[in-house]
Amino acid sequence: MNPVTLLPFIVLIGAMFLMTRSAKKKQAAAAQMRNEMQPGTGIRTIGGMYATVKELHDDTVLLEIAPGVHAIYAKNAIGAVLDDEEYNRIVHGDDDDALDIDGAVVPDDASSLTEADADEDTSDDAKIDLGKKAEADDAEPKDAESDKKSEGKTDGEADAK
């Protein structure tokens, strides 16, 4: 056989090899992460739930979801093992960087943007006229042609020829 005809097959097999190799590395890293869990570690499940590890078993983990609330999960359901700082920041809202209190305060809703100040003069001059313009009255509507074509017809009737 000609080596040129085998070249696409060789490239395809090489690409498949590289893809499976990277997938195996990711699986090994996830398994190592799950094996490094210890009781008291904060985790995130693949469903996005945050919990604390209470007990480890062969294939399962006992998680404390809230104080006094426990659930048993498969080890494969653990999406990430979080360090203590990140877990406390997400779950408890602990933030080392305090908010800048002297900075501008952003309102929670838009009501402060629509309220008029009591000492501000609100006159009719600032209002916008939403009525039709005189130029718009002179223009013929676009549907005038379709109205002329459908004269003498009732709803549902069509031009049958």
Side-chain angles (χ1 to χ4, degrees), residues 78-131:
I78 306 301
V81 176
L82 307 173
D83 58 349
D84 292 336
E85 182 180 312
E86 183 179 4
Y87 180 77
N88 289 332
R89 181 183 58 83
I90 293 170
V91 175
H92 302 295
D94 294 346
D95 199 7
D96 292 339
D97 301 329
L99 296 175
D100 184 17
I101 298 176
D102 296 336
V105 176
V106 179
D108 289 341
D109 58 0
S111 64
S112 64
L113 300 174
T114 58
E115 294 175 357
D117 291 338
D119 49 324
E120 223 179 88
D121 182 28
T122 57
S123 63
D124 293 336
D125 295 339
K127 294 185 179 176
I128 299 173
D129 182 24
L130 298 176

Side-chain angles (χ1 to χ4, degrees), residues 31-110:
Q32 180 183 2
M33 172 207 51
R34 290 183 188 113
N35 289 334
E36 291 176 356
M37 284 187 301
Q38 298 173 6
T41 306
I43 58 99
R44 182 182 67 236
T45 65
I46 57 175
M49 182 181 65
Y50 293 90
T52 305
V53 176
K54 284 298 178 184
E55 294 178 10
L56 291 168
H57 302 286
D58 292 335
D59 293 332
T60 59
V61 179
L62 179 67
L63 300 178
E64 184 176 35
I65 301 165
V69 180
H70 296 88
I72 298 175
Y73 274 76
K75 276 191 177 178
N76 291 339
I78 306 301
V81 176
L82 307 173
D83 58 349
D84 292 336
E85 182 180 312
E86 183 179 4
Y87 180 77
N88 289 332
R89 181 183 58 83
I90 293 170
V91 175
H92 302 295
D94 294 346
D95 199 7
D96 292 339
D97 301 329
L99 296 175
D100 184 17
I101 298 176
D102 296 336
V105 176
V106 179
D108 289 341
D109 58 0

Side-chain angles (χ1 to χ4, degrees), residues 5-24:
T5 57
L6 293 177
L7 186 63
F9 295 112
I10 294 171
V11 170
L12 183 64
I13 291 171
M16 288 174 44
F17 173 74
L18 291 175
M19 284 190 280
T20 57
R21 185 172 163 217
S22 65
K24 285 181 182 179

Side-chain angles (χ1 to χ4, degrees), residues 149-161:
K149 290 180 183 176
S150 64
E151 288 178 2
K153 297 177 188 167
T154 60
D155 289 339
E157 288 185 11
D159 287 334
K161 293 184 181 180

